[in-house]
Amino acid sequence: MAQTTPNHTQIVSGWAAHDSSGKITPFVFKRRENGVNDVTIKVLYCGMCHTDLHHVRNDWGITMYPCVPGHEITGVITKVGENVRDFKVGDKVGVGCLAASCLKCDFCKTSQENYCDEIQFTYNGIFWDGSITYGGYSKMLVADQRYVVRVPESLPMDSAAPLLCAGITVYTPMKDSNLLESTGVPKKVGIIGLGGLGHVAVKFAKAFGHHVTIISTSPSKENEAKQRLGVDDFIVSTHFKQMKAKRRSLDFILDTVSAYHSLGPYLDLLKVEGTLHIVGAPDKPMELPSFPLIFGKRTIKGSMTGGMKETQEMMDMCGKHNITCDIEMVTPDHINQALDRLARNDVRYRFVIDIAGQENGSIVS
Ligand SMILES: NC(=O)c1ccc[n+]([C@@H]2O[C@H](COP(=O)([O-])OP(=O)(O)OC[C@H]3O[C@@H](n4cnc5c(N)ncnc54)[C@H](OP(=O)(O)O)[C@@H]3O)[C@@H](O)[C@H]2O)c1
Ligand SMILES: [Zn+2]
Ligand SMILES: [Zn+2]
């Protein structure tokens, strides 16, 4: 059970999983009072990241129940603490994966809070006061201002919500590999897995003029990927001939896959000195044969979401380029069906929960 402290006085309605069945039910709990550095947010929308699924089903063995998932949150500020200068009541904001960090280490000082050794996440974390953090599958959130970003006016609050995790998680590796520069030379970019993260990565790569290849397990996604998302090439990863034909063709590959897979066949797609950047987080170690690595002098990297400065930068870039996510809206009473569909790889491309109950309708069947 979450510990609650004396200042946890605000009653909030939310939705939580209570065991590894992952079944979500309505859950009423308490949040802290709005502190001097905090803002209180009326949650409007929350995206459903595959990480939510990993957590509610305890795939990684680290879940603290009850678990209120959700780290792709957009909403409106309803209260600000006395030290808050950059936000005011009525502002449209977003909250992603991060809830607290030490603020003293080199990573915090350079706004790479995501690598702080004391990082606490928006849910399934332990806040300074000892309470368990609860995420955005809830009507209201209290967040330290440092971990809050502005949603640009031009972006709709529903289809912008997944940017708070899916967006920033693919933004940092692409920026790291110099793929998000307007003066950049077009590169051959591969994206493994056309899901929530993958489809945002496609949009970022296309916005900067790159040639995009999707490497997928789902042949049924090909037409839509090409027509709707402007993907240039589509390879089915189980199709040996297709994979062989694209050997040594890509500069960079982003791996967004949520399940176990061998890295060897994907490494073979990279040019010599190409980079495979992993952001997917399967529960089992992935197979890494050495030959495709050493024969191509290739690099494998990984990264975890992004820091707050880059999260705002990413939101602003999306505002400028008009990049939003392709979403399927669900009402809170359909969260379980949506999670089941996410587990079956049946979503185009992100479920977003209509937390505040706008008249958007439910699409999950
Ligand atoms: N590093 C980070 O900071 C970070 C942040 C957010 C999420 N994540 C992790 O990233 C992963 C993806 O998240 P997401 O929300 O994008 O999930 P998602 O929407 O379910 O997309 C994952 C995609 O992976 C592909 N896939 C699924 N099973 C596969 C298999 N057995 N073999 C090969 N490909 C398979 C599918 O694409 P195709 O149908 O095209 O094959 C699927 O659409 C999750 O593990 C999540 O926890 C990490
Ligand atoms: Zn996420
Ligand atoms: Zn720190």
Side-chain angles (χ1 to χ4, degrees):
M1 276 295 286
Q3 302 168 41
T4 48
T5 52
N7 75 341
H8 280 240
T9 53
Q10 307 203 73
I11 295 172
V12 186
S13 301
W15 293 268
H18 297 267
D19 55 48
S20 61
S21 71
K23 189 173 184 307
I24 300 278
T25 53
F27 175 58
V28 175
F29 61 97
K30 287 183 180 167
R31 289 203 188 276
R32 68 179 185 270
E33 285 296 312
N34 194 81
V36 289
N37 294 315
D38 290 335
V39 301
T40 296
I41 299 167
K42 175 185 160 73
V43 179
L44 295 180
Y45 298 100
C46 187
M48 297 177 70
C49 180
H50 204 111
T51 297
D52 300 350
L53 189 63
H54 287 309
H55 268 104
V56 298
R57 298 191 177 176
N58 200 17
D59 285 351
W60 298 329
I62 56 167
T63 307
M64 295 177 275
Y65 294 103
C67 173
V68 177
H71 56 209
E72 295 184 336
I73 304 159
T74 56
V76 176
I77 292 188
T78 56
K79 203 184 284 180
V80 296
E82 63 188 59
N83 291 348
V84 175
R85 297 281 169 270
D86 294 339
F87 298 105
K88 59 179 188 323
V89 170
D91 282 354
K92 292 178 179 172
V93 293
V95 173
C97 302
L98 313 184
S101 59
C102 83
L103 306 182
K104 296 187 289 255
C105 72
D106 287 347
F107 298 107
C108 284
K109 282 182 188 156
T110 53
S111 198
Q112 299 179 78
E113 300 91 342
N114 47 321
Y115 296 115
C116 173
D117 212 19
E118 295 179 39
I119 190 69
Q120 296 303 332
F121 296 108
T122 299
Y123 67 86
N124 207 49
I126 301 175
F127 199 65
W128 305 139
D129 60 11
S131 61
I132 307 284
T133 56
Y134 292 132
Y137 292 19
S138 63
K139 299 257 177 194
M140 183 272 267
L141 188 74
V142 179
D144 186 307
Q145 59 175 334
R146 184 178 178 118
Y147 309 96
V148 177
V149 294
R150 291 184 174 283
V151 179
E153 242 348 281
S154 59
L155 296 182
M157 295 294 272
D158 51 4
S159 52
L163 296 173
L164 275 309
C165 173
I168 183 61
T169 300
V170 302
Y171 178 85
T172 49
M174 295 178 84
K175 187 181 167 195
D176 256 18
S177 288
N178 306 319
L179 296 169
L180 303 179
E181 295 165 2
S182 26
T183 51
V185 182
K187 295 266 175 59
K188 294 268 177 95
V189 174
I191 294 157
I192 316 176
L194 188 55
L197 268 56
H199 96 286
V200 182
V202 171
K203 293 189 179 204
F204 288 0
K206 291 309 295 179
F208 288 87
H210 300 296
H211 182 281
V212 175
T213 301
I214 288 289
I215 308 127
S216 173
T217 56
S218 309
S220 62
K221 292 181 181 173
E222 178 167 359
N223 282 346
E224 203 182 74
K226 287 184 171 166
Q227 282 156 23
R228 193 160 111 188
L229 298 174
V231 163
D232 301 285
D233 260 335
F234 192 98
I235 312 175
V236 178
S237 52
T238 49
H239 198 298
F240 179 73
K241 276 193 184 149
Q242 283 185 21
M243 291 288 278
K244 197 168 170 215
K246 298 289 176 184
R247 277 187 74 241
R248 293 193 169 205
S249 68
L250 303 173
D251 295 293
F252 171 88
I253 298 179
L254 187 67
D255 183 347
T256 74
V257 173
S258 53
Y260 169 85
H261 53 289
S262 173
L263 298 175
Y266 301 107
L267 283 169
D268 271 332
L269 301 175
L270 285 170
K271 293 177 185 172
V272 173
E273 294 200 38
T275 299
L276 173 66
H277 194 118
I278 296 175
V279 288
D283 56 349
K284 304 233 165 26
M286 291 181 282
E287 189 189 41
L288 173 56
S290 58
F291 277 23
L293 194 63
I294 61 181
F295 273 61
K297 199 188 175 193
R298 294 162 178 132
T299 302
I300 300 184
K301 297 167 84 168
S303 60
M304 201 225 0
T305 189
M308 294 318 301
K309 184 168 168 281
E310 284 192 336
T311 305
Q312 185 65 66
E313 197 178 282
M314 178 274 311
M315 293 301 282
D316 294 342
M317 179 193 84
C318 290
K320 187 171 160 210
H321 292 269
N322 214 11
I323 297 174
T324 56
C325 306
D326 292 9
I327 62 168
E328 292 192 49
M329 188 82 77
V330 296
T331 49
D333 54 331
H334 285 86
I335 291 173
N336 289 308
Q337 284 105 313
L339 285 172
D340 286 344
R341 279 188 53 195
L342 181 60
R344 293 199 305 269
N345 190 11
D346 172 24
V347 50
R348 295 287 196 280
Y349 287 96
R350 189 59 122 205
F351 288 115
V352 169
I353 310 167
D354 180 8
I355 299 281
Q358 274 91 348
E359 303 284 278
N360 291 306
S362 165
I363 297 145
V364 172
S365 53

